[in-house]
């Protein structure tokens, strides 16, 4: 089956490049993927898939009904949203929309999802079981997977696969990861409430700015002395707001940040840990505080069996040199983790690194991919999917 999948992908390649360039030049922000999802729905239905539109607000679901007897339903997920970034790649197919750019490769994810759907739809008579393609909106805002799941896309799903582009792996290769792939990411907002006063008479006021600075310093110091160094925690305060004038003591400061962790026990304990530190600093100075610790997405914990499915499929397709096993997880986050609360799954990294050209990180205004990676992604995904019913018991 692999040679057949490779042939089909090679034949489809010009069409896939065309799809990718269309998507790249027409990016849409999270939750506003109306044209993208209409375009995706068009390609899916012309490839013979049964589609459902406006699933998860602006998402699309396509399903291949196979002839085979295996009741296990495989899902394949692709995200479709772009970022509020002004593109500076100079590519001929650069974004036509000022201030919006596919800088995280979700245009590649959508293209690979469509290519995989076209090939597997063509091979439906040889598929042992059914496949459901989830084209989700709003991954960047960590909302889309939740919306899709609320609309029932995980009903009857036995396993789910996905991929994310990776500029530090060369195009033509893929990377798999056993265990944790990405971190749990939570949002933190701390308001320190003091009392205003004259800048010359600090003893008559409660200085919220100074207390906030102690809170930031203590949180960073406490991580190094209270958290197990083998279970990483990263806490970044990315925004501070407070104060009215240089000679007026601020009565209120708002700190906003992100908290990343990999270990479920660590994640569970973090809200209370933050509160204890903030409380211990505010108390002696008579300041009050308000903490809003909002759970974001959990860790993407890849299923061993499904990572192996991808690794073996990729090795057969690209040889041992075309597959890396990632030794470390990332502290980035992915709302793919929410699907994993409903079925086992695995996400792999698709190398998109360009040869002889600079490679910029994800979310960079000059981020660009080697488009040959699209065929690599399609073949790997289609072949892994095909093997799912044979390899996984
Ligand atoms: Ni992304």
């Amino acid at each position: 089956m692999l040679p057949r999948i490779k042939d089909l992908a090679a034949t489809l390649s010009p069409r896939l490049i065309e799809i990718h360039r269309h998507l790249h030049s027409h990016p849409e922000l999270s939750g506003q993927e109306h044209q993208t999802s209409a375009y995706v729905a068009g390609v899916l239905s012309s490839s013979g898939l049964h589609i459902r539109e406006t699933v998860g607000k602006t998402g699309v679901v396509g399903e291949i009904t196979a002839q085979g007897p295996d009741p296990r339903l495989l899902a394949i997920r692709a995200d479709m949203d772009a970022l509020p970034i002004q593109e500076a790649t100079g590519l001929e197919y650069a974004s036509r929309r000022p201030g919006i750019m596919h800088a995280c490769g979700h245009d590649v994810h959508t293209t690979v999802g469509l290519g995989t759907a076209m090939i597997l739809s063509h091979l439906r008579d040889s598929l042992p079981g059914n496949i459901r393609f989830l084209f989700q909106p709003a991954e960047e805002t960590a909302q889309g997977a939740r919306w899709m799941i609320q609309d029932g896309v995980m009903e009857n799903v036995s396993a789910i696969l996905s991929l994310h582009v990776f500029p530090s792996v060369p195009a033509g290769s893929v990377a798999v990861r056993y265990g944790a792939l990405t971190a749990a990411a939570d949002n933190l907002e701390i308001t320190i409430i003091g009392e205003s006063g004259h800048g010359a008479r600090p003893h008559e006021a409660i200085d919220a700015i100074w207390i906030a600075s102690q809170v930031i310093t203590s949180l960073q110091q406490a991580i190094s002395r209270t958290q197990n160094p083998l279970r990483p925690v990263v806490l970044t305060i990315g925004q501070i707001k407070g104060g009215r004038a240089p000679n007026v003591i601020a009565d209120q400061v708002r700190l906003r940040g992100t908290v990343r962790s990999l270990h479920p026990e660590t994640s569970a304990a973090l809200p209370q840990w933050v509160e204890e530190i903030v409380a211990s600093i505010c108390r002696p100075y008579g300041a009050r505080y308000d903490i809003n610790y909002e759970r974001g997405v959990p860790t993407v914990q890849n299923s061993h069996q499904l990572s192996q499915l991808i690794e073996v499929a990729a090795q057969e397709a690209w040889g041992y040199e075309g597959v890396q096993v990632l030794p470390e997880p990332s502290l980035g986050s992915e709302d793919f983790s929410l699907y994993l609360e409903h079925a086992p799954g695995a996400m792999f990294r698709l190398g998109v690194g360009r040869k002889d050209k600079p490679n910029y990180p994800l979310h960079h205004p000059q981020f660009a991919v080697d488009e040959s990676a699209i065929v690599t992604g399609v073949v790997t995904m289609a072949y892994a999917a095909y093997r799912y019913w044979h390899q996984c018991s």
Side-chain angles (χ1 to χ4, degrees):
M1 188 52 70
L2 180 59
R4 203 145 167 231
I5 289 174
K6 279 189 160 179
D7 279 352
L8 286 166
T11 311
L12 268 178
S13 174
R15 171 78 180 123
L16 295 174
I17 300 292
E18 187 189 354
I19 290 173
H20 175 243
R21 293 184 175 195
H22 174 84
L23 293 170
H24 189 86
S25 55
H26 298 87
E28 291 176 296
L29 292 174
S30 307
Q32 297 171 29
E33 305 85 344
H34 302 284
Q35 291 177 19
T36 307
S37 60
Y39 181 83
V40 165
V43 176
L44 291 174
S45 56
S46 66
S47 306
L49 278 84
H50 175 74
I51 60 163
R52 271 165 66 207
E53 290 184 79
T54 59
V55 180
K57 302 193 182 182
T58 43
V60 188
V61 172
E63 204 149 325
I64 298 174
T65 310
Q67 303 303 320
D70 199 313
R72 289 176 297 168
L73 173 65
L74 178 66
I76 294 176
R77 172 272 204 173
D79 43 10
M80 306 189 289
D81 53 329
L83 286 157
I85 293 176
Q86 177 64 43
E87 178 159 350
T89 58
L91 290 169
E92 54 176 300
Y93 60 93
S95 172
R96 295 186 196 168
R97 296 188 171 141
I100 308 180
M101 176 188 176
H102 268 296
C104 197
H106 298 189
D107 50 344
V108 174
H109 305 168
T110 302
T111 308
V112 170
L114 289 172
T116 307
M118 289 176 194
I119 289 181
L120 293 176
S121 176
H122 193 80
L123 300 175
R124 68 174 68 211
D125 292 343
S126 328
L127 292 178
N130 297 350
I131 304 192
R132 183 179 293 160
F133 289 87
L134 314 180
F135 289 89
Q136 83 157 70
E139 192 284 325
E140 295 292 354
T141 53
Q143 294 169 298
R146 216 167 251 130
W147 295 341
M148 296 289 281
I149 293 163
Q150 278 164 4
D151 278 354
V153 301
M154 289 303 282
E155 272 164 31
N156 306 317
V157 170
S158 313
I160 182 164
L161 303 179
S162 191
L163 61 80
H164 202 294
V165 299
F166 212 40
S168 56
V169 171
S173 300
V174 303
V176 298
R177 164 88 190 144
Y178 288 86
L181 179 76
T182 61
D186 301 328
N187 298 317
L188 175 62
E189 193 172 307
I190 304 170
T191 308
I192 307 292
I193 305 148
E195 223 173 280
S196 198
H198 197 294
R201 303 184 63 79
H203 56 292
E204 291 173 0
I206 300 172
D207 186 348
I209 285 188
W210 181 76
I211 293 166
S213 71
Q214 301 297 305
V215 165
I216 295 170
T217 310
S218 299
L219 284 169
Q220 298 302 345
Q221 286 172 343
I223 284 173
S224 83
R225 295 299 86 184
T226 62
Q227 298 299 314
N228 181 343
L230 297 175
R231 295 179 180 179
V233 177
V234 170
L235 187 152
T236 293
I237 300 291
Q239 197 177 44
I240 302 185
K241 266 189 185 156
R244 271 185 275 269
N247 59 351
V248 177
I249 286 173
D251 62 346
Q252 194 161 310
V253 173
R254 199 168 66 146
L255 310 172
R256 295 176 74 208
T258 180
V259 189
R260 307 290 169 115
S261 58
L262 278 176
H263 200 276
E265 267 171 46
T266 308
S267 301
L270 285 171
Q272 206 195 333
W273 178 82
V274 168
E275 166 139 25
E276 278 168 13
I277 289 166
V278 174
S280 73
I281 291 163
C282 288
R283 202 176 303 117
Y285 304 110
R288 289 176 296 126
Y289 62 86
D290 185 53
I291 298 175
N292 185 9
Y293 194 105
E294 197 185 272
R295 288 285 183 201
V297 294
T299 302
V300 169
Q301 194 72 32
N302 278 339
S303 138
H304 186 90
Q305 200 182 22
L306 294 168
S307 285
Q308 200 167 39
L309 170 76
I310 293 162
E311 189 185 2
V312 170
Q315 273 171 357
E316 281 190 33
W318 318 114
Y320 285 99
E321 63 285 358
V323 190
Q324 299 180 17
V325 176
L326 293 170
E328 290 169 353
S330 139
L331 288 176
S333 69
E334 239 305 333
D335 75 357
F336 180 64
S337 56
L338 296 170
Y339 298 107
L340 304 182
E341 293 176 344
H342 301 266
M347 169 178 267
F348 67 96
R349 306 282 201 186
L350 175 66
V352 291
R354 303 185 295 176
K355 269 190 216 100
D356 311 320
K357 281 185 188 155
N359 284 299
Y360 298 95
L362 299 171
H363 295 208
H364 189 286
Q366 285 171 274
F367 169 73
V369 304
D370 179 336
E371 287 179 295
S372 70
I374 291 167
V375 164
T376 312
V378 167
V379 171
T380 308
M381 189 62 100
Y383 188 50
Y386 172 76
R387 291 190 56 134
Y388 164 67
W389 292 276
H390 304 288
Q391 193 171 322
C392 297
S393 52

